[in-house]
Amino acid sequence: MSRLIKKCNDFGAGGVSVAIGELADGLRVDLDKVPKKYAGLDGTELAISESQERMAVVVDPGDVDAFLGYAAEENLEAVAVATVTEEPRLVLNWRGKDIVNLKRAFLDTNGAHQETEVKVEIPDEKENYFKRYALEKVGEQAEAGDIRGAWLTLLDDLNVCSQKGLVEMFDSSIGAASVLMPYGGQYQLTETQAMVAKLPVLKGRTDTVTMMSYGFDPYLSSWSPYHGAIYAVVESMAKIVANGGDYSKIRFTFQEYFRRMTEDPARWSQPFAALLGAYDAQIGFGLPSIGGKDSMSGTFNDIDVPPTLVSFAVDIAKYGDIVTPELKTPGNKLVRFAIEKDDFDIPMYEAVMDLYDAVHQLMQEKAIVSAYALDAKGAAAALAKMAFGNRLGVTVEADVDARELFCNGLGDLLVEMPEEKLALLKEREIAYRLVGTVTAEPVLRAGQTQIALEEALNAWTTRLEKVFPTRAAAGKEPVESREYRTEQVYVCRHKVARPTVFIPVFPGTNCEYDSAKAFERAGADVVTRVFRNQSASDIRESVEVFEQAIGQAQIIMFPGGFSAGDEPDGSAKFFATAFQNARLKEAVTKLLEERDGLALGICNGFQALIKLGLVPYGQILGQKEDSPTLTFNTINRHISKMVYTRVVTNKSPWLQGAELGATYCNPASHGEGRFVAPREWIDRLFANGQVATQYADPQGNVSMDEEYNINGSYAAIEGITSPDGRVLGKMAHSERRDTAVAMNIYGEQDLKIFESGVRYFL
């Protein structure tokens, strides 16, 4: 389908006139054909109204029917609304009349030619951002010799403190391609500075990753928009380098936001200076910006936004190049590389490039095992954040003073190196500063100051806990974990050389590709079909297609996602409603009872199995008043993070490749994953070996600690099976696993669920 598309544009604030109007020089748009959410819109409203979540594509006239056919297969509403014309004019027609008819040459001028005078304001040297502490209180404490107070104050600052409760609201593992999770280390507490993801490929494998980071300091930009833009570029580069990227491959995109312009020449100072700074950095580094977006409307009455130019750096690499930021090994040394600046605090571009290139080479040689790009808050914040992930400690060198710990470090890099590798720095004449040593004891030490890592963590995590909570319950009481071992595992009587898996796709499903790849890697054939519901005939045809697909399959897999948006009746309602259809119910029953088939449901799919009754009953019976169910997480929001689960039964064919009693790590991403059931049901499930997995800590300890039992599930239950084990439902996404995925997470990720399911039929 993608090969048919010649051009593509997303709809935004400009609506039809912009999204379609940008696709070709000559266009004739029929506004009457544009799909509408609301009746009564006139031509002007149709032309310029914001219409998110839509795309406009250009296809060859001969491919229109084929494209519309593919869209229908995917249950997408697609309509031909415009024609590309030879004459370079944009024509919008509504109700038989041309309401817009403009020359492309005029549109390309962006309207009337304008000029203005600019008065550039020079930053005040007395307020030089590079010669003072970024946080005034931290500076006062540091200068007074209160290193402990300064460090804890720094970690508590809004621009330094943990945002984990906010970050966890967004799915960070979809696509099974996230090389770095947002927080890494065994305890998932070292925040990453760059997005790194494998290049998505529909078939085959790839070792290519894309990287993206950003740089911006509003306080620096408020002092000097020129310096602010330069160091936005530098900071975005430094983060890429710290994660293993090659600076020379970087391309930028800038996001700009400034106060509203007037006829006052001084009002133009900020964007003019910022753009000059960004231009200077691009020329200095020889790296271009390939895109961007700007706004000049950041004023409300007499309130202006800070002068804002955010630099996003984009790079490509191999996943073997990637360096994760959490500290690795006690005894390793912590080294700081500082960038050179001129008398005006402008980076010495050639020297910066030489440094970043040297660091990249050291990373290629595995001489650097973790790294962090510093910002204006200095080295102290980076040292703590790097230590949190694996709960290691740091002892700062005796000759490192308070100013070095807390002074501006924009563009500098802090790296962890094995002690024996330090000789490379001397051999290659790379200037460096030895900052400290990694310790096994979880303590931050600087001179006579000692801060227990737990105290530092408390300072770092408390500030936003009431706004973006990470836990709703304080309880951490242990939970009984009863292992069930049996030799009586269900044996398939209908063997096949290569089983077929049917994956139904509903509006809102988003894990079908990950699930299909997991089964294909395991040796199965996979059939996915989309349930179409745009008309009554679509629904009838979909039931027929699903019935036929189930009849030809050995396994049915309900994938994750948000079927029908999970509103208003809760999760997986679309799945459950469709499979209550008599024909589909009969097809599933035959699969399980006559052909020894298997069923698997993950996340939204687990919710579907629960609603249908396939777990815990093994049949489509629906739910009873006392049936186990899945409800809202105790924290009452979506949670996306890696979870550890302990395997507590070997009864299920799905778990034959997993080790009973072992702990595995998989991503979770859900808002309604809390397993709830009466005590009688929980006891019955354990007694019958139907509790498949329980949430646990990395060591396999099961409890109600919400850090690990992330949704507050009763008895910490993460997955259950049907009575004979052939139907398995679980919340954590075992399908979101692949080579180099979640590299900064510790623990075995492969439960071998998919391999076990395939092997059952062989």
Side-chain angles (χ1 to χ4, degrees), residues 21 46 66 79 149 156 178 223 279 438 458 467 527 606 680 691 698 733:
L46 285 168
V79 181
D156 182 62
S178 298
W223 170 67
Y279 179 75
V438 182
N458 185 62
V467 183
V527 174
F606 182 18
E680 294 77 14
V691 176
H733 288 275

Side-chain angles (χ1 to χ4, degrees), residues 197-273:
K198 292 168 67 174
L199 197 68
V201 291
L202 198 58
K203 300 291 182 182
R205 307 181 72 84
T206 181
D207 61 355
T208 300
V209 301
T210 57
M211 309 177 70
M212 178 180 281
S213 66
Y214 77 93
F216 174 61
D217 186 326
Y219 301 99
L220 171 57
S221 290
S222 296
W223 170 67
S224 169
Y226 183 79
H227 287 82
I230 290 174
Y231 280 92
V233 171
V234 171
E235 185 181 12
S236 65
M237 290 175 62
K239 290 177 179 178
I240 292 290
V241 173
N243 281 272
D246 180 351
Y247 87 88
S248 66
K249 297 178 182 177
I250 288 174
R251 299 296 182 265
F252 303 105
T253 179
F254 299 143
Q255 295 282 308
E256 303 141 35
Y257 192 31
F258 295 98
R259 62 193 180 188
R260 185 178 296 118
M261 299 297 106
T262 67
E263 294 181 357
D264 180 2
R267 295 284 290 185
W268 289 85
S269 173
Q270 292 180 354
F272 184 80

